[in-house]
Amino acid sequence: MELTDVDVYDPDNFVDGVPHEMFATLRREAPVFLHSRPEGSDFYCVTRHEDLVAVNRDPKTYSSWLGGATIDMTEDGLETQRMMMLNMDPPDHTKLRKIVNKGFTPRMIRELQDHLEHEATTIVDNIIERGQCDFVPEVASELPLIAIAEFLGVPREDRKVIYDLSNRLIGFDDPEFQTSREDAFSAAMELYAFAEGLAADRRQNPKDDIVSILLHAEVDGERLSDLEFNLFFLLLAVAGNETTRNAISHGMHAFIEHPDQYQRLVDDPSLIDGAVEEILRWSTPVMNFRRTTTTDTTLGGVDIPEGAPVVFWHMSANRDETVFENPYEFNITRDPNLHTMHVAFGGGGPHFCLGANLARAEIKVMFAELAKRIPEMELNGPVRRLRSNFINGIKEMQVKFAPS
């Protein structure tokens, strides 16, 4: 493939699968590449692991606040988005992160994991006698939804609301979920309203959940404003649901395509921790983020001017041949020293994923239960992917297995 054939901006090129050949061409020929867009503006495309980590860990040079975290952030939406932690730079980001960290204590994650093991059993109970299911809504989406509902204190009966609204928020490039970015804005407003109702209830009736903790958490005399809480709720509801759901879906798809690896996990449950990290590397649910340069700089030998959009691709970095041996091989016994090298959670820096350990816990309990009770699984129809160059999503995956 030639550089002239590369187009990782067009979401149509991701419908049949991630265009790994394009990313391999970029890593080999132009790891920091000035990529054009149909409307005429350009962005710098960063595809190597080393360069991605460098960008992530240098918020002074590569700002989240200036241009937002996504490729197509518009000026109209940027002002509100700048109040979301994802689009902040230090020191504002640091202050907000210190507050929300109070809700992500090891104790809360540990207590939730014990509960999730029971929920994973129930999820498998609900499908195992039928011998077939749509893995995405019936398995992969269930545990993250339960986890985020428990974590946020959302009533169990309302968790499908979170599912539907988050689909509309991240699926704006997929006609099945919505037809316009205006609908994504509408979905965000509905989530804000949901958050406000939840906050009002917790102020009157505090509980042992993250909402109550966040509303009362204080760092250096500062608390979350109502808008900051609403924006964080939206971020957590989407990120805590969508990403882990897609990691579990892609993880099962990988096991189906590599049955020898699934058999290894079935035969030896102690391999589960390595399997979780390989699933994360393989799936990379969030494929890219954007930064904007605050000054003229040089990255990978390429001069980049001030004010330029820089988009770094986690999906490409997680297939970087200079870091991962045989990167296109799904291998749950990959060298454990490399497990910490994958960048599915962002590659370090101030924006390292706040919910990384929660996501790991969910993936671990779900696949431990599946491997224990469903030792073989295969596809029962075509896999339908999300039309997106941002989220590596699976919409539908019909599977079959021996009923029990």
Side-chain angles (χ1 to χ4, degrees), residues 205-222:
N205 308 293
K207 295 184 179 180
D208 187 20
D209 58 34
I210 194 172
V211 171
S212 299
I213 291 169
L214 290 177
L215 288 171
H216 297 94
E218 191 173 300
V219 172
D220 299 330
E222 302 244 7

Side-chain angles (χ1 to χ4, degrees), residues 7-115:
D7 182 358
V8 294
Y9 180 72
D10 186 350
D12 281 339
N13 290 332
F14 291 76
V15 173
D16 293 332
V18 175
H20 286 297
E21 189 178 359
M22 291 186 183
F23 287 119
T25 300
L26 288 172
R27 288 194 302 273
R28 182 178 64 250
E29 304 291 338
V32 180
F33 176 65
L34 188 58
H35 196 302
S36 63
R37 285 190 270 198
E39 63 269 26
S41 59
D42 300 326
F43 63 94
Y44 286 86
C45 199
V46 176
T47 50
R48 280 186 185 166
H49 188 282
E50 179 182 5
D51 295 329
L52 179 148
V53 171
V55 171
N56 243 330
R57 296 184 178 181
D58 186 4
K60 288 185 178 180
T61 305
Y62 303 97
S63 168
S64 301
W65 186 85
L66 276 179
T70 56
I71 295 180
D72 288 324
M73 184 68 71
T74 63
E75 286 296 325
D76 290 342
L78 187 55
E79 201 57 42
T80 301
Q81 292 297 314
R82 279 175 171 159
M83 298 191 70
M84 187 179 288
M85 196 165 65
L86 189 67
N87 299 294
M88 287 182 176
D89 295 331
D92 293 334
H93 177 273
T94 307
K95 180 198 78 173
L96 189 57
R97 180 123 181 175
K98 282 181 179 178
I99 297 175
V100 300
N101 272 344
K102 291 182 176 291
F104 284 82
T105 64
R107 178 186 67 84
M108 290 196 74
I109 302 296
R110 193 164 51 247
E111 289 179 357
L112 185 58
Q113 182 166 347
D114 293 339
H115 177 67

Side-chain angles (χ1 to χ4, degrees), residues 124-359:
V124 175
D125 284 344
N126 290 338
I127 65 167
I128 198 164
E129 291 184 4
R130 284 187 280 134
Q132 61 181 14
C133 70
D134 182 348
F135 190 86
V136 178
E138 296 186 73
V139 179
S141 71
E142 279 294 282
L143 197 64
L145 280 171
I146 292 168
I148 211 66
E150 293 282 339
F151 207 54
L152 291 171
V154 173
R156 194 181 182 97
E157 62 272 16
D158 289 336
R159 69 181 192 270
K160 292 297 184 185
V161 175
I162 304 296
Y163 177 86
D164 292 336
L165 291 176
S166 62
N167 275 344
R168 287 167 56 195
L169 267 169
I170 62 87
F172 51 77
D173 280 326
D174 193 304
E176 184 171 333
F177 290 121
Q178 65 179 59
T179 57
S180 69
R181 291 178 183 272
E182 287 71 27
D183 192 53
F185 180 78
S186 173
M189 292 301 101
E190 290 180 53
L191 270 174
Y192 293 159
F194 193 96
E196 287 176 356
L198 200 59
D201 177 73
R202 289 303 183 276
R203 289 191 180 100
Q204 294 294 320
N205 308 293
K207 295 184 179 180
D208 187 20
D209 58 34
I210 194 172
V211 171
S212 299
I213 291 169
L214 290 177
L215 288 171
H216 297 94
E218 191 173 300
V219 172
D220 299 330
E222 302 244 7
R223 287 187 175 184
L224 292 181
S225 68
D226 288 346
L227 181 57
E228 285 173 335
F229 172 78
N230 291 348
L231 287 165
F232 183 70
F233 181 92
L234 181 148
L235 176 62
L236 194 58
V238 175
N241 158 32
E242 201 73 33
T243 55
T244 311
R245 174 214 310 179
N246 284 311
I248 293 172
S249 296
H250 279 288
M252 195 68 248
H253 188 221
F255 276 128
I256 290 171
E257 290 191 316
H258 304 83
D260 62 311
Q261 296 299 305
Y262 193 51
Q263 191 61 52
R264 294 176 88 165
L265 182 60
V266 168
D267 293 341
D268 185 358
S270 72
L271 297 177
I272 187 64
D273 289 327
V276 169
E277 300 307 320
E278 183 69 346
I279 287 167
L280 287 164
R281 182 192 75 86
W282 188 262
S283 62
T284 314
V286 178
M287 290 190 282
N288 66 68
F289 273 130
R290 167 186 164 169
R291 301 287 186 264
T292 302
T293 51
T294 61
T295 184
D296 293 351
T297 190
T298 301
L299 180 69
V302 175
D303 293 332
I304 303 176
E306 178 183 349
V310 175
V311 178
F312 51 91
W313 293 84
H314 310 99
M315 178 56 79
S316 178
N318 278 339
R319 298 295 194 282
D320 191 332
E321 301 84 351
T322 66
V323 176
F324 303 101
E325 185 178 356
N326 300 319
Y328 299 102
E329 175 184 297
F330 182 72
N331 178 8
I332 66 171
T333 58
R334 190 175 289 279
D335 182 349
N337 291 327
L338 292 179
H339 286 159
T340 58
M341 296 294 288
H342 76 70
V343 292
F345 292 124
H351 286 280
F352 184 78
C353 178
L354 190 65
N357 288 332
L358 177 58

